[in-house]
Amino acid sequence: MLGGYAQNGYAYEVLELFFNMNSYGFHPDEFTFTSILSACSHAGMVSEGRQIFNLMVNQYEIQPRIDHCACMVDLLGRWGFLEEAEEFISTFNLESDAKIWATMLGACRTHGDEGRGQRAAEKLIELEPQNSSPYVLLSNIHAASGNWDEVRSLRRSMKEKGVKKLPGCSWITVGQTTSFFVAGEISHSRAGDIGSALRDLMALMKDLCDIDSFYNVEDLSSG
């Protein structure tokens, strides 16, 4: 039940259920705390998240797993406590975990912190040299700050190291058939129909919104 509340964004209900569990003598396990910390992160309940983490470690003597730590870094970083998040990573010796640095880098992107973003990206690149995500996120941070020299430098570095950005991908299942779509690809068997439908939708949006100019939709039926 607690996990269900957490997955559906009912953070206050998660905390209420947690404290009720304690009053009835039910002891939470490591998975319970993962759900609670995740709920706190998405709801912006920073002080409550800190309290829960401390209870887990000090009262219930549960050794923090990487999932717990990732939730804490996400909680602190998501809501702007980037310095504390960085200190948390150092305190719990999490420097060798790519998931932690990816979470930290995403938070730096959200809040435009170039310095910490640079450090997080360097750590992530060191751990996953062929992962394009840190290059892209750090490039976005520099671009948002108008630091175009660094943007160009990152692009050169990607090219020199042979790092390629993976195209976006989505899929849909209709009946028993699953169709995959990759950004920029026109090899789908019904590419012409898809392009026609997109153009119809764009025309409808233009009429409804009374907007003079829209982005042109590429003719997917052309090579």
Side-chain angles (χ1 to χ4, degrees), residues 4 13 22 33 50 60 62 64 75 101 105 123 154 173 179 197 202 209:
E13 288 79 0
N22 284 331
F33 282 105
R50 293 191 189 104
Y60 294 97
I62 294 176
L75 169 68
W101 288 115
L105 180 55
K123 289 287 188 179
L154 281 169
T173 300
S179 296
M202 294 296 283
C209 299

Side-chain angles (χ1 to χ4, degrees), residues 136-167:
V136 174
L137 286 172
L138 184 57
S139 178
N140 290 339
I141 294 174
H142 288 318
S145 300
N147 197 345
W148 298 107
D149 288 340
E150 289 295 334
V151 172
R152 286 187 286 270
S153 176
L154 281 169
R155 289 175 179 171
R156 285 195 301 270
S157 181
M158 287 183 69
K159 186 175 181 180
E160 291 168 359
K161 296 177 181 178
V163 179
K164 296 183 179 180
K165 180 181 176 182
L166 296 176

Side-chain angles (χ1 to χ4, degrees), residues 4 9 11 31 35 38 44 61 71 75 99 107 123 126 129 131 168 200 210:
F31 303 106
S35 295
S38 177
E61 298 182 341
C71 284
L75 169 68
K99 180 180 179 181
K123 289 287 188 179
E126 180 182 331
N131 183 356
D200 290 343
D210 192 26

Side-chain angles (χ1 to χ4, degrees), residues 50-96:
R50 293 191 189 104
Q51 178 187 1
I52 292 297
F53 187 84
N54 289 331
L55 280 174
M56 180 186 77
V57 175
N58 299 320
Q59 180 173 325
Y60 294 97
E61 298 182 341
I62 294 176
Q63 186 69 22
R65 301 192 318 164
I66 195 65
D67 288 345
H68 302 130
C69 294
C71 284
M72 283 302 296
V73 173
D74 183 55
L75 169 68
L76 297 169
R78 183 189 294 261
W79 299 100
F81 296 86
L82 297 173
E83 181 177 357
E84 186 177 348
E86 195 172 42
E87 291 174 355
F88 183 93
I89 292 172
S90 177
T91 299
F92 285 89
N93 298 316
L94 303 171
E95 287 87 352
S96 62

Side-chain angles (χ1 to χ4, degrees), residues 5-26:
Y5 277 140
Q7 290 176 10
N8 289 281
Y10 295 99
Y12 290 99
E13 288 79 0
V14 167
L15 291 176
E16 182 180 12
L17 183 58
F18 168 70
F19 289 114
N20 284 338
M21 286 172 58
N22 284 331
S23 65
Y24 285 105
F26 293 98

